[in-house]
Coordinates of all heavy atoms in Angstrom, one line a residue:
M782 N 78.0 58.2 -4.7 CA 77.2 59.1 -3.8 C 76.2 59.8 -4.7 O 76.6 60.3 -5.8 CB 78.0 60.0 -3.1 CG 78.9 59.4 -2.0 SD 80.1 60.5 -1.4 CE 81.2 60.7 -2.8
D783 N 75.0 60.1 -4.3 CA 74.1 60.9 -5.0 C 74.2 62.3 -4.6 O 74.8 62.6 -3.6 CB 72.7 60.3 -4.9 CG 72.1 60.5 -3.6 OD1 72.4 61.4 -2.8 OD2 71.3 59.5 -3.1
D784 N 73.6 63.2 -5.4 CA 73.7 64.6 -5.1 C 73.0 65.0 -3.8 O 73.1 66.1 -3.3 CB 73.3 65.4 -6.3 CG 74.3 65.3 -7.4 OD1 75.5 65.4 -7.1 OD2 73.8 65.2 -8.5
G785 N 72.1 64.1 -3.3 CA 71.4 64.3 -2.0 C 72.4 64.4 -0.8 O 72.0 64.9 0.2
N786 N 73.6 63.9 -1.0 CA 74.6 63.9 0.0 C 75.5 65.1 -0.1 O 76.6 65.1 0.5 CB 75.4 62.6 0.0 CG 74.7 61.4 0.4 OD1 73.7 61.5 1.2 ND2 75.0 60.3 -0.1
A787 N 75.1 66.2 -0.8 CA 76.0 67.3 -1.0 C 76.3 68.0 0.3 O 75.5 68.0 1.2 CB 75.2 68.3 -1.9
Q788 N 77.5 68.4 0.4 CA 78.0 69.2 1.6 C 78.1 68.3 2.8 O 77.9 68.8 3.9 CB 77.2 70.4 1.8 CG 77.1 71.4 0.6 CD 78.5 71.8 0.2 OE1 79.4 72.0 0.9 NE2 78.6 71.9 -1.2
I789 N 78.4 67.0 2.7 CA 78.7 66.2 3.8 C 80.1 66.6 4.4 O 81.0 66.7 3.7 CB 78.7 64.7 3.5 CG1 77.3 64.3 3.1 CG2 79.3 63.9 4.5 CD1 77.2 62.8 2.6
E790 N 80.1 66.8 5.7 CA 81.4 67.2 6.3 C 82.2 65.9 6.6 O 81.7 65.0 7.3 CB 81.1 67.9 7.6 CG 82.4 68.3 8.3 CD 82.2 69.2 9.6 OE1 81.1 69.8 9.7 OE2 83.0 69.2 10.4
I791 N 83.4 65.8 6.1 CA 84.2 64.7 6.3 C 85.1 64.9 7.6 O 85.8 65.8 7.7 CB 85.2 64.5 5.1 CG1 84.4 64.5 3.8 CG2 86.1 63.3 5.3 CD1 83.5 63.3 3.6
A792 N 85.0 64.0 8.5 CA 85.7 64.0 9.8 C 87.1 63.5 9.7 O 88.0 64.0 10.3 CB 85.0 63.3 10.9
A793 N 87.3 62.5 8.8 CA 88.6 61.9 8.6 C 88.7 61.2 7.3 O 87.7 60.8 6.7 CB 88.9 60.9 9.8
T794 N 89.9 61.0 6.8 CA 90.2 60.3 5.5 C 91.2 59.2 5.8 O 92.2 59.5 6.4 CB 90.7 61.3 4.4 OG1 89.6 62.3 4.2 CG2 91.0 60.5 3.2
V795 N 91.0 58.1 5.3 CA 91.9 57.0 5.3 C 92.4 56.7 3.9 O 91.5 56.4 3.0 CB 91.3 55.7 5.9 CG1 92.3 54.5 5.8 CG2 91.0 55.9 7.4
D796 N 93.7 56.8 3.6 CA 94.2 56.5 2.3 C 94.7 55.1 2.2 O 95.8 54.8 2.8 CB 95.3 57.5 2.0 CG 95.8 57.3 0.5 OD1 95.4 56.4 -0.2 OD2 96.6 58.2 0.1
A797 N 93.9 54.2 1.6 CA 94.3 52.8 1.5 C 94.5 52.4 0.0 O 94.5 51.2 -0.4 CB 93.1 51.9 2.1
V798 N 94.8 53.4 -0.8 CA 95.1 53.2 -2.2 C 96.4 52.3 -2.3 O 97.4 52.6 -1.6 CB 95.3 54.5 -3.0 CG1 95.8 54.3 -4.4 CG2 94.0 55.3 -3.0
G799 N 96.3 51.3 -3.1 CA 97.4 50.3 -3.3 C 97.4 49.2 -2.3 O 98.1 48.2 -2.5
L800 N 96.5 49.2 -1.3 CA 96.4 48.1 -0.3 C 95.4 47.1 -0.8 O 94.3 47.5 -1.4 CB 96.0 48.6 1.0 CG 97.0 49.6 1.7 CD1 96.5 50.1 3.0 CD2 98.4 49.0 1.8
L801 N 95.6 45.8 -0.6 CA 94.7 44.8 -0.9 C 93.8 44.3 0.2 O 94.2 44.5 1.4 CB 95.4 43.6 -1.6 CG 96.2 43.9 -2.9 CD1 97.0 42.7 -3.3 CD2 95.3 44.4 -3.9
C802 N 92.7 43.7 -0.1 CA 91.8 43.1 0.9 C 92.6 42.2 1.8 O 93.5 41.5 1.4 CB 90.8 42.3 0.1 SG 89.6 41.4 1.2
P803 N 92.3 42.3 3.1 CA 91.3 43.1 3.8 C 91.8 44.4 4.4 O 91.1 45.0 5.2 CB 91.0 42.1 5.0 CG 92.3 41.5 5.4 CD 93.0 41.4 4.1
L804 N 93.0 44.9 4.0 CA 93.5 46.1 4.6 C 92.7 47.3 4.5 O 92.6 48.1 5.5 CB 94.9 46.3 4.1 CG 96.0 45.2 4.6 CD1 97.3 45.5 3.9 CD2 96.1 45.2 6.1
P805 N 92.1 47.7 3.4 CA 91.2 48.9 3.4 C 90.1 48.9 4.4 O 89.9 49.9 5.2 CB 90.7 48.9 1.9 CG 91.7 48.2 1.1 CD 92.2 47.1 2.0
V806 N 89.5 47.7 4.6 CA 88.4 47.7 5.6 C 88.9 47.7 7.0 O 88.4 48.3 7.9 CB 87.5 46.4 5.3 CG1 86.6 46.1 6.5 CG2 86.7 46.6 4.1
L807 N 90.1 47.0 7.2 CA 90.6 47.0 8.6 C 91.1 48.4 8.9 O 90.9 48.8 10.1 CB 91.9 46.1 8.6 CG 91.5 44.6 8.5 CD1 92.8 43.7 8.4 CD2 90.6 44.1 9.6
R808 N 91.7 49.1 8.0 CA 92.1 50.5 8.3 C 90.9 51.4 8.6 O 90.9 52.3 9.5 CB 92.9 51.1 7.1 CG 94.2 50.3 6.9 CD 95.4 51.2 7.3 NE 96.6 50.4 7.3 CZ 97.6 50.6 6.4 NH1 97.6 51.6 5.6 NH2 98.7 49.9 6.5
A809 N 89.8 51.2 7.8 CA 88.6 52.0 8.0 C 88.0 51.7 9.4 O 87.6 52.6 10.2 CB 87.6 51.7 6.9
R810 N 88.0 50.4 9.8 CA 87.4 50.0 11.0 C 88.2 50.6 12.2 O 87.6 51.2 13.1 CB 87.4 48.5 11.2 CG 86.8 48.1 12.5 CD 86.7 46.6 12.6 NE 88.1 46.0 12.7 CZ 88.4 44.7 12.7 NH1 87.4 43.8 12.5 NH2 89.6 44.3 12.8
K811 N 89.5 50.6 12.1 CA 90.3 51.2 13.2 C 90.1 52.7 13.3 O 90.0 53.2 14.4 CB 91.8 50.9 12.9 CG 92.7 51.4 13.9 CD 94.2 51.0 13.7 CE 95.1 51.5 14.8 NZ 96.5 51.1 14.5
R812 N 90.0 53.4 12.2 CA 89.8 54.8 12.2 C 88.5 55.2 12.7 O 88.3 56.2 13.4 CB 90.1 55.4 10.8 CG 90.1 56.9 10.8 CD 91.3 57.5 11.6 NE 91.3 58.9 11.7 CZ 90.7 59.6 12.7 NH1 90.2 59.0 13.7 NH2 90.8 60.9 12.7
L813 N 87.4 54.4 12.4 CA 86.1 54.7 12.8 C 86.0 54.6 14.3 O 85.2 55.3 15.0 CB 85.1 53.7 12.2 CG 84.7 54.1 10.7 CD1 84.1 52.8 10.1 CD2 83.7 55.2 10.7
Q814 N 86.8 53.8 14.9 CA 86.7 53.6 16.4 C 87.0 54.9 17.1 O 86.4 55.1 18.2 CB 87.7 52.5 16.9 CG 87.3 51.1 16.5 CD 88.4 50.1 16.7 OE1 89.5 50.4 17.1 NE2 88.0 48.8 16.7
A815 N 87.8 55.8 16.6 CA 88.2 57.0 17.2 C 87.3 58.1 16.9 O 87.4 59.2 17.5 CB 89.7 57.3 16.8
L816 N 86.3 57.9 16.0 CA 85.4 59.0 15.6 C 84.1 59.0 16.5 O 83.7 58.0 17.0 CB 85.0 58.9 14.1 CG 86.1 59.0 13.1 CD1 85.6 58.8 11.7 CD2 86.8 60.3 13.2
A817 N 83.6 60.2 16.6 CA 82.3 60.3 17.3 C 81.2 59.7 16.5 O 81.2 59.8 15.2 CB 82.0 61.7 17.7
P818 N 80.1 59.2 17.1 CA 78.9 58.8 16.4 C 78.4 59.9 15.5 O 78.4 61.1 15.9 CB 77.9 58.4 17.5 CG 78.8 58.0 18.7 CD 80.0 59.0 18.6
G819 N 78.0 59.6 14.3 CA 77.6 60.6 13.3 C 78.6 61.1 12.4 O 78.3 61.7 11.4
A820 N 79.9 61.0 12.8 CA 81.0 61.5 12.0 C 81.1 60.6 10.7 O 80.8 59.4 10.6 CB 82.3 61.4 12.8
V821 N 81.7 61.3 9.6 CA 81.8 60.6 8.3 C 83.2 60.4 8.0 O 84.1 61.3 8.1 CB 81.1 61.4 7.2 CG1 81.4 60.8 5.9 CG2 79.6 61.6 7.5
L822 N 83.6 59.1 7.7 CA 84.9 58.7 7.2 C 84.9 58.6 5.7 O 84.0 58.0 5.1 CB 85.3 57.4 7.9 CG 86.6 56.8 7.4 CD1 87.8 57.6 8.0 CD2 86.7 55.3 7.8
R823 N 86.0 59.1 5.1 CA 86.2 59.0 3.7 C 87.3 58.0 3.5 O 88.4 58.2 4.0 CB 86.6 60.3 3.1 CG 86.8 60.3 1.5 CD 87.0 61.7 1.1 NE 87.3 61.7 -0.3 CZ 88.4 62.2 -0.9 NH1 89.3 62.8 -0.1 NH2 88.6 62.2 -2.2
L824 N 87.0 56.9 2.9 CA 88.0 55.8 2.6 C 88.4 55.8 1.1 O 87.5 55.7 0.3 CB 87.4 54.5 3.0 CG 88.3 53.3 2.7 CD1 89.6 53.2 3.4 CD2 87.4 52.0 2.9
L825 N 89.7 56.0 0.9 CA 90.2 55.9 -0.5 C 90.8 54.5 -0.7 O 91.6 54.1 0.1 CB 91.3 57.0 -0.7 CG 90.9 58.4 -0.4 CD1 92.1 59.3 -0.6 CD2 89.7 58.9 -1.2
A826 N 90.4 53.8 -1.7 CA 90.8 52.5 -2.0 C 90.8 52.2 -3.5 O 90.0 52.7 -4.2 CB 90.0 51.5 -1.3
S827 N 91.8 51.4 -3.9 CA 91.9 51.0 -5.3 C 91.7 49.5 -5.5 O 91.6 49.0 -6.6 CB 93.3 51.4 -5.9 OG 94.4 50.8 -5.1
D828 N 91.6 48.7 -4.4 CA 91.4 47.3 -4.5 C 90.0 47.0 -5.1 O 89.0 47.5 -4.5 CB 91.5 46.7 -3.1 CG 91.3 45.2 -3.1 OD1 91.2 44.6 -4.2 OD2 91.2 44.6 -2.0
P829 N 89.9 46.3 -6.2 CA 88.6 46.0 -6.8 C 87.6 45.3 -5.8 O 86.4 45.5 -5.9 CB 88.9 45.1 -8.0 CG 90.4 45.3 -8.2 CD 91.0 45.7 -6.9
A830 N 88.1 44.6 -4.9 CA 87.2 43.9 -3.9 C 86.6 44.8 -2.9 O 85.6 44.5 -2.3 CB 88.0 42.8 -3.2
A831 N 87.1 46.1 -2.8 CA 86.5 47.0 -1.9 C 85.1 47.4 -2.2 O 84.3 47.8 -1.3 CB 87.4 48.3 -1.8
V832 N 84.8 47.4 -3.5 CA 83.4 47.7 -4.0 C 82.4 46.7 -3.3 O 81.3 47.2 -3.0 CB 83.3 47.6 -5.5 CG1 81.9 47.3 -6.0 CG2 83.9 48.7 -6.1
I833 N 82.8 45.5 -3.0 CA 82.0 44.6 -2.3 C 82.2 44.6 -0.8 O 81.3 44.6 0.0 CB 82.2 43.1 -2.8 CG1 81.8 43.1 -4.2 CG2 81.5 42.1 -1.9 CD1 82.3 41.8 -4.9
D834 N 83.5 44.7 -0.4 CA 83.9 44.6 1.0 C 83.4 45.8 1.9 O 83.0 45.6 3.0 CB 85.4 44.5 1.1 CG 86.0 43.3 0.6 OD1 85.2 42.3 0.4 OD2 87.2 43.2 0.4
V835 N 83.5 47.0 1.4 CA 83.1 48.2 2.2 C 81.6 48.2 2.5 O 81.3 48.3 3.7 CB 83.6 49.5 1.5 CG1 83.1 50.7 2.3 CG2 85.1 49.5 1.4
P836 N 80.7 48.0 1.5 CA 79.3 48.0 1.9 C 79.0 46.8 2.8 O 78.2 46.9 3.8 CB 78.6 47.9 0.6 CG 79.5 48.4 -0.5 CD 80.9 48.1 0.1
H837 N 79.6 45.7 2.6 CA 79.4 44.5 3.5 C 79.9 44.8 4.9 O 79.2 44.5 5.8 CB 80.1 43.3 2.9 CG 79.9 42.1 3.7 ND1 78.8 41.4 3.7 CD2 80.8 41.4 4.5 CE1 78.9 40.3 4.6 NE2 80.1 40.3 5.0
F838 N 81.0 45.4 5.0 CA 81.5 45.8 6.3 C 80.5 46.8 7.0 O 80.2 46.5 8.3 CB 82.9 46.5 6.2 CG 83.3 47.4 7.4 CD1 83.7 46.8 8.6 CD2 83.3 48.7 7.3 CE1 84.0 47.6 9.7 CE2 83.6 49.5 8.4 CZ 83.9 48.9 9.6
C839 N 80.0 47.7 6.3 CA 79.0 48.6 6.9 C 77.8 47.9 7.4 O 77.3 48.1 8.5 CB 78.7 49.7 5.9 SG 80.0 50.9 5.6
T840 N 77.3 46.9 6.6 CA 76.1 46.2 7.0 C 76.4 45.4 8.2 O 75.6 45.3 9.1 CB 75.7 45.2 5.8 OG1 75.4 46.0 4.7 CG2 74.5 44.4 6.2
Q841 N 77.5 44.7 8.2 CA 77.9 43.9 9.4 C 78.1 44.6 10.6 O 77.8 44.2 11.7 CB 79.1 43.0 9.0 CG 78.9 42.0 7.9 CD 77.8 40.9 8.3 OE1 77.2 40.9 9.3 NE2 77.7 40.0 7.4
S842 N 78.7 45.8 10.5 CA 79.1 46.6 11.7 C 78.1 47.6 12.1 O 78.2 48.2 13.2 CB 80.5 47.3 11.5 OG 80.3 48.2 10.4
G843 N 77.0 47.8 11.3 CA 76.0 48.8 11.6 C 76.2 50.2 11.2 O 75.4 51.0 11.5
H844 N 77.4 50.4 10.6 CA 77.6 51.8 10.1 C 76.9 52.1 8.9 O 76.5 51.2 8.1 CB 79.1 52.0 9.9 CG 80.0 51.8 11.1 ND1 79.8 52.6 12.2 CD2 81.0 51.0 11.3 CE1 80.7 52.1 13.1 NE2 81.4 51.2 12.6
E845 N 76.6 53.4 8.6 CA 75.8 53.7 7.4 C 76.7 54.0 6.2 O 77.6 54.8 6.2 CB 75.1 55.0 7.7 CG 74.2 55.5 6.5 CD 73.5 56.8 6.9 OE1 73.6 57.3 7.9 OE2 72.7 57.2 5.9
F846 N 76.5 53.2 5.1 CA 77.3 53.3 3.9 C 76.6 54.4 3.1 O 75.5 54.3 2.6 CB 77.3 52.0 3.1 CG 78.1 52.1 1.8 CD1 79.4 52.4 1.7 CD2 77.4 51.9 0.6 CE1 80.1 52.4 0.6 CE2 78.0 52.0 -0.6 CZ 79.4 52.2 -0.6
L847 N 77.3 55.6 2.8 CA 76.7 56.7 2.2 C 77.0 56.7 0.7 O 76.3 57.4 -0.1 CB 77.3 58.0 2.7 CG 77.0 58.2 4.2 CD1 77.6 59.5 4.7 CD2 75.5 58.2 4.5
G848 N 77.9 55.8 0.2 CA 78.1 55.7 -1.2 C 79.5 55.7 -1.6 O 80.4 55.8 -0.8
C849 N 79.8 55.6 -2.9 CA 81.1 55.5 -3.5 C 81.1 56.3 -4.8 O 80.2 56.3 -5.5 CB 81.4 54.0 -3.8 SG 82.8 53.7 -4.7
T850 N 82.3 56.9 -5.0 CA 82.5 57.6 -6.3 C 83.9 57.2 -6.8 O 84.8 56.8 -6.0 CB 82.5 59.2 -6.1 OG1 83.4 59.6 -5.2 CG2 81.1 59.6 -5.7
D851 N 84.0 57.3 -8.1 CA 85.4 57.2 -8.7 C 86.2 58.4 -8.5 O 85.6 59.5 -8.8 CB 85.2 56.8 -10.2 CG 84.7 55.4 -10.4 OD1 85.0 54.5 -9.6 OD2 84.0 55.2 -11.4
D852 N 87.4 58.3 -8.2 CA 88.2 59.5 -7.9 C 89.6 59.3 -8.4 O 90.5 58.8 -7.6 CB 88.2 59.7 -6.4 CG 88.8 61.1 -6.0 OD1 89.1 61.9 -6.8 OD2 89.0 61.2 -4.8
D853 N 89.9 59.6 -9.6 CA 91.3 59.6 -10.2 C 92.0 58.3 -10.0 O 93.1 58.2 -9.4 CB 92.1 60.7 -9.5 CG 93.4 61.0 -10.3 OD1 93.4 60.7 -11.5 OD2 94.3 61.5 -9.7
G854 N 91.4 57.2 -10.5 CA 92.1 55.9 -10.5 C 91.8 55.1 -9.2 O 92.3 53.9 -9.1
H855 N 91.0 55.6 -8.3 CA 90.6 54.8 -7.2 C 89.1 55.2 -6.8 O 88.6 56.0 -7.5 CB 91.5 55.0 -6.0 CG 91.6 56.4 -5.6 ND1 92.5 57.4 -6.1 CD2 90.9 57.2 -4.6 CE1 92.3 58.5 -5.6 NE2 91.4 58.4 -4.7
Q856 N 88.6 54.6 -5.8 CA 87.3 54.9 -5.3 C 87.3 55.6 -4.0 O 88.3 55.4 -3.2 CB 86.4 53.6 -5.1 CG 86.1 53.0 -6.5 CD 87.2 52.2 -7.0 OE1 87.9 51.6 -6.4 NE2 87.4 52.4 -8.4
A857 N 86.4 56.5 -3.8 CA 86.2 57.2 -2.5 C 84.9 56.7 -1.9 O 83.8 56.9 -2.5 CB 86.2 58.7 -2.7
Y858 N 84.9 56.1 -0.7 CA 83.8 55.6 0.0 C 83.5 56.5 1.2 O 84.4 56.9 1.9 CB 84.0 54.2 0.5 CG 84.4 53.2 -0.6 CD1 85.7 53.0 -0.9 CD2 83.4 52.4 -1.2 CE1 86.1 52.1 -2.0 CE2 83.7 51.6 -2.2 CZ 85.1 51.4 -2.6 OH 85.4 50.5 -3.5
L859 N 82.2 56.7 1.4 CA 81.8 57.5 2.6 C 81.0 56.6 3.5 O 80.1 55.9 3.2 CB 80.9 58.7 2.2 CG 81.6 59.8 1.4 CD1 80.7 61.0 1.2 CD2 82.9 60.3 2.1
I860 N 81.5 56.7 4.8 CA 80.9 55.8 5.9 C 80.6 56.7 7.0 O 81.4 57.5 7.6 CB 81.9 54.7 6.3 CG1 82.3 53.9 5.1 CG2 81.3 53.9 7.5 CD1 83.5 53.0 5.4
R861 N 79.3 56.7 7.5 CA 78.9 57.4 8.7 C 78.9 56.5 9.9 O 78.3 55.4 9.9 CB 77.5 58.0 8.5 CG 77.1 58.9 9.7 CD 75.7 59.5 9.6 NE 75.4 60.1 8.3 CZ 75.7 61.3 8.0 NH1 76.4 62.1 8.7 NH2 75.4 61.8 6.8
K862 N 79.7 56.9 10.9 CA 79.7 56.0 12.1 C 78.4 56.1 12.9 O 77.9 57.1 13.1 CB 80.9 56.5 13.0 CG 81.0 55.6 14.2 CD 82.1 56.1 15.1 CE 82.2 55.1 16.4 NZ 83.3 55.4 17.2
T863 N 78.0 54.9 13.3 CA 76.9 54.8 14.2 C 77.4 54.7 15.6 O 78.6 54.6 15.8 CB 76.0 53.6 13.8 OG1 76.8 52.4 13.9 CG2 75.4 53.8 12.5
A864 N 76.5 54.7 16.6 CA 76.9 54.5 18.0 C 77.6 53.2 18.2 O 78.7 53.0 18.4 CB 75.7 54.5 18.8

């Protein structure tokens, strides 16, 4: 994430640390269904494939991928739900 995304309000967090593909994306998809359009989901994942899978999921599903940061041995992805 770049600093242009400062102060993004996180609506929900999914902890998928330790889970392997495709589980992080499946958990994110399920949680996003319950969120209102415009809400931001924070996905925590340690699976190396998530670096490719999460942006691809966003592209395919139409959600906005806001970026990824390293966070204490795993990555934190931000996804904004679209309509």
Side-chain angles (χ1 to χ4, degrees):
M782 291 170 292
D783 65 35
D784 290 317
N786 290 331
Q788 303 305 323
I789 290 177
E790 183 177 336
I791 307 298
T794 298
V795 171
D796 185 351
V798 173
L800 301 179
L801 297 177
C802 177
L804 291 175
V806 166
L807 293 176
R808 297 251 173 117
R810 181 177 69 187
K811 182 176 182 179
R812 188 65 184 96
L813 281 163
Q814 290 173 345
L816 296 179
V821 175
L822 174 71
R823 181 173 177 238
L824 171 65
L825 307 178
S827 57
D828 181 9
V832 159
I833 296 167
D834 293 345
V835 173
H837 181 71
F838 160 71
C839 292
T840 299
Q841 294 295 6
S842 62
H844 298 302
E845 183 182 358
F846 178 64
L847 300 178
C849 171
T850 58
D851 289 326
D852 189 13
D853 194 27
H855 59 274
Q856 290 75 43
Y858 301 89
L859 293 184
I860 304 167
R861 185 182 313 278
K862 181 179 178 175
T863 58

